Amino acid sequence: MEASELRRAVAAAPSTASELGLKADAALVLHDSNRVALRVMPCDMLVRVAGPAHARVAPLEIEIAQRLAELEAPVAAVAPRVGHRVYERDGFWITLWTYYDSVASPGLQPADYAAALNRLHAGLRNLDV
């Protein structure tokens, strides 16, 4: 995202979480491309923010995640505290997800990681999107 748009996107994430009754004092940018991924604290959620050009993708991401979860594929879950929906704020489309700390599983073996990727791809092949 452009710098001015990124600042607005970062501000929209905790504001949206706060409106939903979550404690959200800060947002840390984890990934910035055509959409931004933020870790919102202290509610500890992953928030994805899309601008107008990518607004249609947000509901599709939620649908795909739900369908993959039904197939028991390893996929990030939509944050259960806020529901499976897209929130609009300040011209952005926002989805809230469970945050998974990457250092929480330091003992993950390469074979286990590869097996999880195989299960994810098998689930994706079974989706008709």
Side-chain angles (χ1 to χ4, degrees):
M1 286 189 178
E2 298 291 328
S4 63
E5 189 176 45
L6 178 61
R7 283 190 296 278
R8 289 181 33 245
V10 170
S15 295
T16 301
S18 292
E19 278 186 6
L20 296 169
L22 303 169
K23 186 139 175 78
D25 299 329
L28 172 67
V29 176
L30 301 175
H31 181 76
D32 175 20
S33 63
N34 53 2
R35 289 170 295 226
V36 64
L38 306 146
R39 182 178 183 186
V40 176
M41 299 294 290
C43 65
D44 210 18
M45 288 191 167
L46 178 80
V47 179
R48 290 181 48 86
V49 183
H54 299 93
R56 295 185 330 180
V57 175
L60 181 61
E61 288 177 340
I62 290 176
E63 179 186 347
I64 289 171
Q66 288 175 296
R67 291 172 59 194
L68 286 170
E70 290 168 3
L71 295 170
E72 299 182 7
V75 63
V78 174
R81 296 179 276 178
V82 297
H84 298 107
R85 59 173 288 212
V86 179
Y87 299 89
E88 192 275 327
R89 181 178 194 87
D90 193 24
F92 295 104
W93 283 261
I94 299 167
T95 54
L96 294 94
W97 302 82
T98 300
Y99 176 78
Y100 300 93
D101 193 349
S102 61
V103 297
S105 302
L108 184 64
Q109 297 299 311
D112 296 332
Y113 188 81
L117 282 175
N118 281 332
R119 288 187 8 243
L120 174 61
H121 289 162
L124 287 167
R125 282 190 298 274
N126 287 313
L127 294 183
D128 183 22
V129 180

mmCIF file of all heavy atoms in Angstrom, residues 86-103:
data_model
loop_
_atom_site.group_PDB
_atom_site.id
_atom_site.type_symbol
_atom_site.label_atom_id
_atom_site.label_comp_id
_atom_site.label_asym_id
_atom_site.label_seq_id
_atom_site.Cartn_x
_atom_site.Cartn_y
_atom_site.Cartn_z
ATOM 1 N N VAL A 86 -17.070 -9.471 7.001
ATOM 2 C CA VAL A 86 -16.157 -8.406 6.596
ATOM 3 C C VAL A 86 -16.697 -7.098 7.172
ATOM 4 O O VAL A 86 -17.892 -6.835 7.113
ATOM 5 C CB VAL A 86 -16.067 -8.308 5.055
ATOM 6 C CG1 VAL A 86 -15.145 -7.179 4.635
ATOM 7 C CG2 VAL A 86 -15.608 -9.638 4.473
ATOM 8 N N TYR A 87 -15.806 -6.303 7.727
ATOM 9 C CA TYR A 87 -16.172 -5.016 8.294
ATOM 10 C C TYR A 87 -15.622 -3.926 7.390
ATOM 11 O O TYR A 87 -14.522 -4.039 6.875
ATOM 12 C CB TYR A 87 -15.589 -4.873 9.710
ATOM 13 C CG TYR A 87 -16.106 -5.935 10.641
ATOM 14 C CD1 TYR A 87 -15.447 -7.159 10.750
ATOM 15 C CD2 TYR A 87 -17.266 -5.744 11.368
ATOM 16 C CE1 TYR A 87 -15.934 -8.156 11.581
ATOM 17 C CE2 TYR A 87 -17.759 -6.731 12.206
ATOM 18 C CZ TYR A 87 -17.089 -7.935 12.305
ATOM 19 O OH TYR A 87 -17.578 -8.916 13.109
ATOM 20 N N GLU A 88 -16.415 -2.871 7.197
ATOM 21 C CA GLU A 88 -15.972 -1.745 6.366
ATOM 22 C C GLU A 88 -15.706 -0.572 7.273
ATOM 23 O O GLU A 88 -16.484 -0.263 8.176
ATOM 24 C CB GLU A 88 -17.054 -1.408 5.346
ATOM 25 C CG GLU A 88 -16.587 -0.462 4.260
ATOM 26 C CD GLU A 88 -16.672 1.004 4.648
ATOM 27 O OE1 GLU A 88 -17.587 1.368 5.399
ATOM 28 O OE2 GLU A 88 -15.801 1.781 4.208
ATOM 29 N N ARG A 89 -14.557 0.076 7.069
ATOM 30 C CA ARG A 89 -14.212 1.260 7.859
ATOM 31 C C ARG A 89 -13.281 2.147 7.039
ATOM 32 O O ARG A 89 -12.274 1.683 6.530
ATOM 33 C CB ARG A 89 -13.550 0.866 9.168
ATOM 34 C CG ARG A 89 -13.200 2.052 10.029
ATOM 35 C CD ARG A 89 -12.576 1.603 11.346
ATOM 36 N NE ARG A 89 -12.564 2.700 12.263
ATOM 37 C CZ ARG A 89 -13.554 3.040 13.081
ATOM 38 N NH1 ARG A 89 -14.653 2.322 13.111
ATOM 39 N NH2 ARG A 89 -13.459 4.068 13.874
ATOM 40 N N ASP A 90 -13.632 3.394 6.911
ATOM 41 C CA ASP A 90 -12.782 4.401 6.272
ATOM 42 C C ASP A 90 -12.334 3.980 4.867
ATOM 43 O O ASP A 90 -11.206 4.213 4.467
ATOM 44 C CB ASP A 90 -11.579 4.696 7.177
ATOM 45 C CG ASP A 90 -10.817 5.951 6.743
ATOM 46 O OD1 ASP A 90 -11.425 6.816 6.089
ATOM 47 O OD2 ASP A 90 -9.615 6.035 7.043
ATOM 48 N N GLY A 91 -13.217 3.300 4.140
ATOM 49 C CA GLY A 91 -12.884 2.892 2.776
ATOM 50 C C GLY A 91 -12.079 1.610 2.695
ATOM 51 O O GLY A 91 -11.608 1.247 1.614
ATOM 52 N N PHE A 92 -11.913 0.911 3.816
ATOM 53 C CA PHE A 92 -11.187 -0.352 3.844
ATOM 54 C C PHE A 92 -12.134 -1.485 4.196
ATOM 55 O O PHE A 92 -13.142 -1.288 4.865
ATOM 56 C CB PHE A 92 -10.057 -0.314 4.886
ATOM 57 C CG PHE A 92 -8.974 0.669 4.573
ATOM 58 C CD1 PHE A 92 -8.895 1.870 5.256
ATOM 59 C CD2 PHE A 92 -8.039 0.390 3.590
ATOM 60 C CE1 PHE A 92 -7.898 2.782 4.963
ATOM 61 C CE2 PHE A 92 -7.039 1.293 3.291
ATOM 62 C CZ PHE A 92 -6.977 2.496 3.976
ATOM 63 N N TRP A 93 -11.780 -2.685 3.751
ATOM 64 C CA TRP A 93 -12.531 -3.888 4.078
ATOM 65 C C TRP A 93 -11.637 -4.722 4.983
ATOM 66 O O TRP A 93 -10.500 -5.050 4.628
ATOM 67 C CB TRP A 93 -12.942 -4.612 2.812
ATOM 68 C CG TRP A 93 -14.102 -3.915 2.186
ATOM 69 C CD1 TRP A 93 -15.405 -4.268 2.283
ATOM 70 C CD2 TRP A 93 -14.093 -2.711 1.433
ATOM 71 N NE1 TRP A 93 -16.213 -3.357 1.636
ATOM 72 C CE2 TRP A 93 -15.424 -2.389 1.107
ATOM 73 C CE3 TRP A 93 -13.090 -1.839 1.012
ATOM 74 C CZ2 TRP A 93 -15.772 -1.258 0.370
ATOM 75 C CZ3 TRP A 93 -13.430 -0.711 0.283
ATOM 76 C CH2 TRP A 93 -14.770 -0.436 -0.031
ATOM 77 N N ILE A 94 -12.166 -5.061 6.151
ATOM 78 C CA ILE A 94 -11.364 -5.615 7.236
ATOM 79 C C ILE A 94 -11.904 -6.974 7.658
ATOM 80 O O ILE A 94 -13.111 -7.138 7.850
ATOM 81 C CB ILE A 94 -11.383 -4.632 8.430
ATOM 82 C CG1 ILE A 94 -10.772 -3.301 7.985
ATOM 83 C CG2 ILE A 94 -10.676 -5.210 9.641
ATOM 84 C CD1 ILE A 94 -11.006 -2.163 8.935
ATOM 85 N N THR A 95 -10.990 -7.937 7.794
ATOM 86 C CA THR A 95 -11.336 -9.243 8.337
ATOM 87 C C THR A 95 -10.451 -9.517 9.536
ATOM 88 O O THR A 95 -9.291 -9.095 9.576
ATOM 89 C CB THR A 95 -11.174 -10.363 7.287
ATOM 90 O OG1 THR A 95 -9.857 -10.322 6.742
ATOM 91 C CG2 THR A 95 -12.190 -10.205 6.159
ATOM 92 N N LEU A 96 -11.003 -10.215 10.515
ATOM 93 C CA LEU A 96 -10.273 -10.505 11.748
ATOM 94 C C LEU A 96 -10.093 -12.007 11.884
ATOM 95 O O LEU A 96 -11.052 -12.777 11.721
ATOM 96 C CB LEU A 96 -11.029 -9.940 12.956
ATOM 97 C CG LEU A 96 -11.091 -8.406 12.967
ATOM 98 C CD1 LEU A 96 -12.365 -7.919 12.332
ATOM 99 C CD2 LEU A 96 -10.959 -7.884 14.367
ATOM 100 N N TRP A 97 -8.866 -12.395 12.203
ATOM 101 C CA TRP A 97 -8.467 -13.794 12.213
ATOM 102 C C TRP A 97 -7.789 -14.150 13.530
ATOM 103 O O TRP A 97 -7.264 -13.280 14.220
ATOM 104 C CB TRP A 97 -7.481 -14.058 11.067
ATOM 105 C CG TRP A 97 -8.049 -13.724 9.739
ATOM 106 C CD1 TRP A 97 -8.115 -12.481 9.165
ATOM 107 C CD2 TRP A 97 -8.675 -14.612 8.824
ATOM 108 N NE1 TRP A 97 -8.728 -12.562 7.935
ATOM 109 C CE2 TRP A 97 -9.080 -13.862 7.700
ATOM 110 C CE3 TRP A 97 -8.906 -15.979 8.830
ATOM 111 C CZ2 TRP A 97 -9.715 -14.421 6.605
ATOM 112 C CZ3 TRP A 97 -9.540 -16.546 7.743
ATOM 113 C CH2 TRP A 97 -9.941 -15.772 6.645
ATOM 114 N N THR A 98 -7.751 -15.430 13.823
ATOM 115 C CA THR A 98 -6.982 -15.911 14.962
ATOM 116 C C THR A 98 -5.507 -15.680 14.655
ATOM 117 O O THR A 98 -5.055 -15.961 13.545
ATOM 118 C CB THR A 98 -7.249 -17.410 15.190
ATOM 119 O OG1 THR A 98 -8.648 -17.591 15.443
ATOM 120 C CG2 THR A 98 -6.440 -17.949 16.353
ATOM 121 N N TYR A 99 -4.774 -15.162 15.623
ATOM 122 C CA TYR A 99 -3.337 -14.957 15.444
ATOM 123 C C TYR A 99 -2.605 -16.197 15.931
ATOM 124 O O TYR A 99 -2.871 -16.695 17.022
ATOM 125 C CB TYR A 99 -2.851 -13.727 16.211
ATOM 126 C CG TYR A 99 -1.358 -13.552 16.111
ATOM 127 C CD1 TYR A 99 -0.790 -13.025 14.959
ATOM 128 C CD2 TYR A 99 -0.517 -13.966 17.135
ATOM 129 C CE1 TYR A 99 0.579 -12.897 14.835
ATOM 130 C CE2 TYR A 99 0.855 -13.835 17.024
ATOM 131 C CZ TYR A 99 1.396 -13.305 15.870
ATOM 132 O OH TYR A 99 2.756 -13.189 15.748
ATOM 133 N N TYR A 100 -1.704 -16.703 15.116
ATOM 134 C CA TYR A 100 -0.877 -17.852 15.475
ATOM 135 C C TYR A 100 0.573 -17.388 15.526
ATOM 136 O O TYR A 100 1.121 -16.977 14.509
ATOM 137 C CB TYR A 100 -1.022 -18.978 14.438
ATOM 138 C CG TYR A 100 -2.439 -19.474 14.307
ATOM 139 C CD1 TYR A 100 -3.296 -18.949 13.345
ATOM 140 C CD2 TYR A 100 -2.926 -20.457 15.153
ATOM 141 C CE1 TYR A 100 -4.606 -19.391 13.221
ATOM 142 C CE2 TYR A 100 -4.236 -20.918 15.038
ATOM 143 C CZ TYR A 100 -5.070 -20.378 14.071
ATOM 144 O OH TYR A 100 -6.358 -20.819 13.959
ATOM 145 N N ASP A 101 1.168 -17.482 16.687
ATOM 146 C CA ASP A 101 2.553 -17.058 16.854
ATOM 147 C C ASP A 101 3.480 -18.078 16.208
ATOM 148 O O ASP A 101 3.413 -19.263 16.508
ATOM 149 C CB ASP A 101 2.870 -16.919 18.341
ATOM 150 C CG ASP A 101 4.167 -16.195 18.602
ATOM 151 O OD1 ASP A 101 4.945 -15.963 17.652
ATOM 152 O OD2 ASP A 101 4.403 -15.852 19.762
ATOM 153 N N SER A 102 4.334 -17.625 15.328
ATOM 154 C CA SER A 102 5.205 -18.546 14.592
ATOM 155 C C SER A 102 6.255 -19.187 15.483
ATOM 156 O O SER A 102 6.795 -20.232 15.137
ATOM 157 C CB SER A 102 5.885 -17.820 13.429
ATOM 158 O OG SER A 102 6.677 -16.769 13.925
ATOM 159 N N VAL A 103 6.565 -18.600 16.619
ATOM 160 C CA VAL A 103 7.542 -19.216 17.518
ATOM 161 C C VAL A 103 6.891 -20.163 18.514
ATOM 162 O O VAL A 103 7.568 -20.779 19.314
ATOM 163 C CB VAL A 103 8.390 -18.159 18.279
ATOM 164 C CG1 VAL A 103 9.201 -17.337 17.317
ATOM 165 C CG2 VAL A 103 7.518 -17.293 19.153
#
